[in-house]
Amino acid sequence: MVPGETGKRNISVRLNQQQLELIDRTIARSLAGTREDLMRLALREYAANREGQADE
């Protein structure tokens, strides 16, 4: 996929119990509907913050 191109991709994320609990507490505060929604939000925000930055 080239920059600016949109599409769906599958990713796998391994989280420990503490991370899962943090995600679940965040969802309980109504910041996202599901774990998947929260991960999508996090990835979108990460990508937006990285826009224009070269990887080292």
Side-chain angles (χ1 to χ4, degrees):
M1 199 177 276
V2 296
E5 186 178 16
T6 60
K8 290 191 174 190
R9 291 189 174 210
N10 291 323
I11 63 166
S12 295
V13 178
R14 290 184 185 199
L15 303 172
N16 64 35
Q17 187 61 38
Q18 184 179 16
Q19 292 165 322
L20 286 171
E21 290 172 5
L22 177 60
I23 287 173
D24 290 342
R25 286 195 304 270
T26 302
I27 291 167
R29 292 184 353 201
S30 300
L31 297 178
T34 66
R35 288 175 176 172
E36 292 81 7
D37 292 340
L38 185 60
M39 293 302 296
R40 285 186 190 102
L41 174 62
L43 289 170
R44 280 194 305 270
E45 289 182 1
Y46 176 80
N49 288 333
R50 297 281 301 166
E51 218 169 83
Q53 296 179 10
D55 287 334
E56 294 183 25

